[in-house]
Amino acid sequence: MAEAHQAVAFQFTITPEGIDLQLSHEALRQVYLSGLRSWRKRFIRIRNSVISGVYPASPYSWLFVVVAILATMYTRSDPSMGLISKIQEHLPVSESLSVQSQMVVVAVLFGTLIWFSFILAMRLFLKLLLSYQRWIFELHGKISITTKIWAVLIKLLSGREPLLYSYQSSLPNLPVPAVRDTIKRYLESVRPLMSTTDFQRMTALATQFENNLGTRLQWYLKLKALWASNYVSDWWEEYVYLRGRSPIMVNSNYYGMDFLYVTPTSIQAARAGNTIKALLLYRRKINLEELKPSHIPGTVIPLCAAQFERMFNTTRIPGEEADTLQHWKDSDYVAVYHRGRYFKLGVYRAGRLLSPRELEFQITRILDDPSPPCPGEEKLGALTAGDREPWARARKEFFGSGVNKRSLDCIEKAAFFVTLDDDEQGMMGDDPARNLDIYAKSLLHGKCYDRWFDKSFSVVVFKNGKSGLNAEHSWADAPTVSHLWEYVLASDAFQLGYDGEGHCKGELDPTLPRPQKLSWDIPPECQEQVTQSLMVAQTLADDVDFHVIPFRDFGKGRVKKHKISPDAFIQLALQLAYYRDRGMFCLTYEASMTRLFREGRTETVRSCSNESCAFVKALEEGEDMDVCRRLFRLAAEKHQNLYRLAMTGSGIDRHLFCLYVVSKYLGVESPFLKEVLSEPWRLSTSQTPVQQIELFDLVNHPEYISCGGGFGPVADDGYGVSYIIVAEDMFNFHISCKHSCAQTDAHRFGAHIRQALQDLLKMLNTDKKDPAGASQTPAQTDKQKTR
């Protein structure tokens, strides 16, 4: 009852003697501290906006410029070439000010004008420098003088410590490739996949498109590129993600795993406490812009940070025709699910973040809460796992008012979502490999109702302390979530830590108010829709075949000794494995990032090339090893060049996608574009980058490595393969496909991948020649992959 009384700031009672007013000083103190925290955050946002707004200059440089102008004026010099006199003549208050005051006002005005001009000039110069792309095409160890000078200039302009969003206004816009170039690259990419007759037909369609409709569509696209900061990203978010009407579970959402070999604590509440604390500390770093801007590793080249803006306090809202992303500026609680019940867990007390020990205490209260779920509450999350249209109609009909709206608002406006799972997961037991596969499937879809798939991300903490997360895809790509998860895992294990019994550290305030259990009034009609959505989701989840491979035979260290890009090595191994698995080649998707440009997201690298097919055929047909090695190096260099083109805005698929969108707006049909965009990606691949290796001490603690994450199959008859290159001696693969396709098998394909990796290294090891002359892109390029 004391907690309930403290929640009310004042009470009053009307008596015959008058009104008896009773104030709760503790409640008023909480209100005051919460308001103080809110105003402090507003001030910090304004301050950071100013600092980032004037970057690459400093706010203090304004004072220097004004003082310099004043000094020149006092020495009776005129650096403005008469402009200062003009300003003084037209100063509205010149008659009411003394001469010295006028000088100060004029100096401030002119100095501010010069300062802003200087900022714009520096920003334009930095944008021009960042538009230079030749560096990425130069061979490792053969950097030109131009590129060296360019790198020095960027470093000089970036000398002041930038905030998270400081580079945003200086990043170049994504360029629109020429239609001729895109079509040429497209035809080259499909040549090994088509018969001569089909290729001639496609060439005719492409030529007709280029000479007729393509020119008209390109004009509109260039117009958009002049107006918008990125001509792809808004359409990509809307048409690829938000307009999709099929379930986002499995089809769109992806997951990230915990440490592979260790679990910092086996106490579920403690692991949840540290994880929530680390996530909130990361959110604070984003709000204060204390995170360092991401760069191409080993370089000074910044990457776009726009995707960090909607990481927290964000939910995907279902719509009948298209979903929307809703983001709130702040949230002081998280939503928690346990045994069919939803809770609202406040994470602040007296204007401060709860300590890990306090969060563990609150989580324990939820775990020990004996109350049953409300009727229809237990499987309510299945609405977010099924088809989007039924969920949109149900939300409008049953959650538009009253207690259901209030409870749904609590979930959607939460900082993020937490599931306290009753299962135990991880690489454990008598069959650790099989249990690892089950662990991956659990993170991908769970029970189909115990995750809130619409939240920007949902954290899952299992009964034995193992953890992971499931992320919604429309707001950001995997590297952004990976950056968050790396920080959380490192902070949990190495900064926050646990005591000798496995509990969280920190002070504990036992008077904390209990987490609030949400209430629902779910009518039978809504419960019926929940059941139907669960059936759809369960059918989809049961059809997923998953296999995780921790490959420890060798890693990138052995590969790089042969002067081969590790990513190209893996991609060629995947081509070899697929050919052995299916006896043919297929259209292959590898995700590349375009965050060198403002609001950039991804581009497709078509990894199945003429060169890769020639190598695979030569190897499988028993050609001489020298011939195979030569073809292998040609294929690896081709892959790297395709990746460079994709990173620098000269990819194929995003350009054709946007041309297709324009054609739909204009109401015209293009047989060429229609056929191109209907081609299935039977092998969809993605590398999860390790971006903050400095957070992990893999020398002294090699067991603290993440297994990365994965996603569901893109095509019904294809494979999804996610991989992570861990340190120097390990690759991890996450392979998905569908049981309903008789031609695919995740375990079989995994065995082919393992054998392909070993065969490729064996082939390279038999090379007695010095491969130093072989070309290789800088290692930094290999690390920046995204789904």
Side-chain angles (χ1 to χ4, degrees), residues 69-174:
I69 296 296
L70 272 173
T72 58
M73 291 175 67
Y74 274 107
T75 58
R76 301 191 180 281
S77 300
D78 187 5
S80 68
M81 294 180 291
L83 187 58
I84 289 178
S85 299
K86 290 289 184 182
I87 295 176
Q88 197 165 3
E89 288 176 11
H90 294 85
L91 201 65
V93 291
S94 57
E95 296 180 357
S96 60
L97 296 176
S98 64
V99 176
Q100 288 187 336
S101 298
Q102 288 183 35
M103 288 181 65
V104 172
V105 172
V106 171
V108 169
L109 291 174
F110 181 71
T112 302
L113 180 63
I114 293 294
W115 185 62
F116 274 120
S117 301
F118 178 67
I119 290 171
L120 291 175
M122 288 181 66
R123 187 174 292 170
L124 179 61
F125 186 48
L126 183 57
K127 180 176 269 191
L128 289 173
L129 288 174
L130 294 175
S131 299
Y132 174 79
Q133 306 293 347
R134 190 191 301 174
W135 66 272
I136 204 171
F137 293 93
E138 294 181 349
L139 302 181
H140 186 63
K142 297 182 179 180
I143 308 300
S144 66
I145 297 296
T146 303
T147 298
K148 290 179 180 178
I149 295 173
W150 163 81
V152 170
L153 289 174
I154 286 186
K155 196 167 185 178
L156 287 174
L157 280 177
S158 307
R160 188 172 63 83
E161 191 70 22
L163 299 177
L164 176 60
Y165 302 120
S166 290
Y167 286 109
Q168 290 303 103
S169 58
S170 300
L171 291 173
N173 290 0
L174 183 68

Side-chain angles (χ1 to χ4, degrees), residues 44 52 105 154 243 256 258 262 268 344 372 433 439 492 513 562 718:
I44 291 171
S52 295
V105 172
I154 286 186
R243 283 188 178 270
D258 196 1
V262 297
Q268 184 179 22
K344 177 181 178 180
Y439 174 31
D492 174 26
H562 295 280

Side-chain angles (χ1 to χ4, degrees), residues 139-140 142 562-564 633 637 770-777:
L139 302 181
H140 186 63
K142 297 182 179 180
H562 295 280
K563 298 194 174 181
I564 297 293
R633 292 190 180 280
E637 176 55 34
D770 180 14
S775 57
Q776 180 191 12
T777 182

Side-chain angles (χ1 to χ4, degrees), residues 184-200:
K184 180 182 177 182
R185 295 184 189 113
Y186 167 76
L187 290 175
E188 182 184 357
S189 73
V190 297
R191 182 64 191 93
L193 306 175
M194 291 184 174
S195 65
T196 301
T197 303
D198 288 340
F199 184 71
Q200 289 175 347

Side-chain angles (χ1 to χ4, degrees), residues 66 82 125 134 168 180 188 267 322 381 385 396 398 431 434-435 468 492 541 576 596 652 699 762 784:
V66 171
F125 186 48
R134 190 191 301 174
Q168 290 303 103
R180 180 182 297 273
E188 182 184 357
I267 301 174
K396 183 178 180 180
F398 304 115
D431 192 352
R434 179 176 178 274
N435 288 330
D492 174 26
L576 178 58
L596 291 170
I652 299 169
V699 176
K762 181 180 178 181
Q784 289 300 318

Side-chain angles (χ1 to χ4, degrees), residues 254-258 279 439 443-444 456-460 467-471 481-482 484-485 708:
Y254 52 96
Y255 68 86
M257 274 188 168
D258 196 1
L279 286 164
Y439 174 31
L443 290 175
L444 184 65
S456 54
F457 65 90
S458 299
V459 176
V460 184
S467 68
L469 88 167
N470 182 288
V481 176
S482 174
L484 162 73
W485 195 236

Side-chain angles (χ1 to χ4, degrees), residues 49-64:
S49 296
V50 171
I51 294 174
S52 295
V54 302
Y55 192 84
S58 163
Y60 301 107
S61 61
W62 172 83
L63 184 61
F64 174 81

